[in-house]
Amino acid sequence: MSTLQDPGASSPQLLRRANRQALLQYALRTGTFSAADAMTTTGLTRATVLGVCADLHGAGWLAEVEPDGDGTRRGRPARRYELRADAGLLIGVDAGEHTLAARAVDLRGRELASEVETVEVGVDDPGAADARREQVRGLLERLRARSGAGSAHPLLTVVGVPAPVGPDGLSPHGEAGYWPVMNPDLGGALNGEVLTDNDANLAVTAEHALRGGEHLATLLMGERFGAGLIIDGRLLHGALGGAGEMRFLDDVLVDSRGADGVAALARRWTTTALEAGARSPALEAIPADRLTAVDVFDAARAGDAVAQRVLERIGERIARIAGILASLLGVETVVVAGAIAGAIGPVLVHAREALPQVSSAPYPQLVASELGGDVVVRGAVETALRQLRENPLEVLGSHG
């Protein structure tokens, strides 16, 4: 990496900013370093490196480290510096419909604290958006207190919501008001900069960090599901953040409720089968309003024919969606993610078997996520770290 050093090539302010940016990017990638180390990588002169290091040390982003050596070397030892990882906080949030999860990390990505709690208000409750905003704010205050970060500022908070998110951080007024409630404009309620994105986008970011790949889709499945898409190595957002929304499946799939996730499908298809006269002593014993996807998966493992057929149907649904994504976007790998991922193995067996019947080759690889229910918050933290590494001055903002 090289930066402008010719005063005639830019204004002094832009030159100073470029040099600070280069030094911070280098400090984020390395450990303890000397001026000579930084010169080799950044291409800056010794005088520039020493001046910028002194500047960043004074601003609190670099610490001066005691020099190595046994005291036998003659002359003044070279100054050494390292990033102050504790100088700021990065926060990732999964603001789901029913659960809030948050994680605080330092500038190196080391976890400092995490919090999980149940959402207190329903989507249709009066003032639901305001109540969600206040609950997230309170959760993050407790998270910061538990982090042990003292006076460190929250520099960037990345929030995943189950709604499309436009460039302005807001969601369109769709889904009978569901989207604006899920994304209640948190920017003004939280400290520091706030970046809001669709939860499936953050999930595919986490999966991409784990497994790589240029053409990757993540199906985030719970009550609903959406897709996070990385094509040609780039995360797709689309107009108003709508890339990966599955509303089109309402027209493609026979039952016209294509966006239902695994949890909703397992309940609905099991209840429908029982109402139609199918016999399942295990599932019939559970009141319909208490039936969960966990019950259906447990029954299937025990050999229940009704539950096994439901899992086969879910597998067929996933195969159709994977085939559409492969045909339309050239997706090579489809990762099924979310809290259900740990139990999705039997469903994916059915999905792989169904692919040749419902789509054409080449078929995408179907795999289960290894990140469980943490996938969105992991993606939120990864997004914050990437923002910091790519443009540290923007993240540091007024605190830099």
Side-chain angles (χ1 to χ4, degrees), residues 264-349:
L265 291 174
R267 287 197 312 272
R268 176 158 62 89
W269 285 343
T270 298
T271 301
T272 300
L274 296 177
E275 290 174 347
R279 299 307 308 272
S280 170
L283 297 174
E284 289 174 44
I286 304 172
D289 61 349
R290 296 184 182 178
L291 182 69
T292 69
V294 173
D295 298 322
V296 179
F297 274 73
D298 287 346
R301 279 194 296 271
D304 183 276
V306 171
Q308 288 178 340
R309 176 53 188 152
V310 169
L311 264 59
E312 289 174 6
R313 291 184 66 187
I314 295 173
E316 292 166 5
R317 172 67 55 89
I318 292 174
R320 290 184 182 277
I321 294 167
I324 291 170
L325 294 175
S327 176
L328 187 64
L329 298 171
V331 168
E332 292 179 325
T333 303
V334 176
V335 184
V336 178
I340 199 69
I344 205 70
V347 173
L348 293 186
V349 171

Side-chain angles (χ1 to χ4, degrees), residues 193-360:
E193 292 296 316
V194 178
L195 188 158
T196 304
D197 203 349
N198 173 260
D199 53 4
N201 287 346
L202 298 182
V204 78
T205 298
E207 293 295 338
H208 185 256
L210 179 67
R211 66 183 68 242
E214 293 292 294
H215 312 289
L216 178 71
T218 293
L219 298 180
L220 188 60
M221 307 193 78
E223 288 298 316
R224 304 175 180 225
F225 82 89
L229 304 168
I230 290 179
I231 305 299
D232 295 327
R234 298 175 62 87
L235 178 65
L236 300 187
H237 283 91
L240 300 178
E245 290 296 319
M246 292 293 170
R247 299 187 306 280
F248 76 93
L249 293 174
D250 293 347
D251 300 320
V252 173
L253 299 174
V254 175
D255 62 14
S256 76
R257 293 172 66 174
D260 280 352
V262 168
L265 291 174
R267 287 197 312 272
R268 176 158 62 89
W269 285 343
T270 298
T271 301
T272 300
L274 296 177
E275 290 174 347
R279 299 307 308 272
S280 170
L283 297 174
E284 289 174 44
I286 304 172
D289 61 349
R290 296 184 182 178
L291 182 69
T292 69
V294 173
D295 298 322
V296 179
F297 274 73
D298 287 346
R301 279 194 296 271
D304 183 276
V306 171
Q308 288 178 340
R309 176 53 188 152
V310 169
L311 264 59
E312 289 174 6
R313 291 184 66 187
I314 295 173
E316 292 166 5
R317 172 67 55 89
I318 292 174
R320 290 184 182 277
I321 294 167
I324 291 170
L325 294 175
S327 176
L328 187 64
L329 298 171
V331 168
E332 292 179 325
T333 303
V334 176
V335 184
V336 178
I340 199 69
I344 205 70
V347 173
L348 293 186
V349 171
H350 295 306
R352 296 183 190 108
E353 293 173 349
L355 264 174
Q357 282 74 53
V358 301
S359 65
S360 300

